């Protein structure tokens, strides 16, 4: 799966990591619902950090689409809410069948 972190680039994530990333995505959704800026910031940092940890950067000249678009570091709660409106349920799609 190809994930784009806005302002940073695309990353290829193996399916074996999607369960963990989906759990972090769920935690981010809960933090958004709570409106707590501190919890939101921590969960966003955890999600983006986990992607960077398990993913392989995609070559800069690759022009293919991303399966998922994630906010950049420092994104506000409102920016992430807007991104979620465009993406649907969460930022990270479920595991492919």
């Amino acid at each position: 799966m190809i994930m784009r972190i806005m302002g940073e680039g695309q990353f290829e994530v193996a399916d074996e990591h999607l369960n963990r990333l989906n759990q972090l995505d769920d935690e981010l959704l809960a933090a958004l619902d709570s409106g707590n800026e501190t919890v939101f910031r921590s969960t966003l940092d955890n999600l983006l950090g986990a992607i960077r940890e398990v993913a392989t950067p995609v070559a800069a000249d690759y022009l293919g689409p991303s399966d998922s678009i994630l906010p950049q570091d420092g994104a506000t709660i409102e920016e992430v809410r807007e991104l979620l409106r465009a993406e649907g349920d969460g930022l990270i799609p479920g595991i492919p069948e």
Side-chain angles (χ1 to χ4, degrees):
M1 175 177 294
I2 303 292
M3 296 184 181
R4 174 179 297 281
I5 298 176
M6 295 173 66
E8 190 169 334
Q10 291 180 307
F11 298 85
E12 186 167 6
V13 178
D15 289 347
E16 66 195 56
H17 301 293
L18 292 180
N19 280 335
R20 176 176 175 223
L21 296 177
N22 273 301
Q23 288 174 325
L24 293 170
D25 190 29
D26 290 344
E27 291 174 17
L28 182 64
L29 292 173
L32 283 171
D33 288 343
S34 78
N36 183 315
E37 181 73 29
T38 303
V39 173
F40 163 76
R41 182 73 37 227
S42 175
T43 56
L44 178 58
D45 290 347
N46 289 342
L47 176 59
L48 296 179
I51 291 169
R52 292 179 189 114
E53 179 184 314
V54 301
T56 303
V58 174
D61 61 350
Y62 173 75
L63 298 176
S66 301
D67 298 302
S68 178
I69 300 174
L70 294 106
Q72 70 279 2
D73 281 324
T76 66
I77 286 178
E78 190 50 44
E79 288 170 332
V80 175
R81 284 183 178 142
E82 191 64 33
L83 188 57
L84 282 167
R85 284 185 198 102
E87 291 291 315
D89 274 346
L91 296 170
I92 299 175
I95 298 171
E97 298 292 325

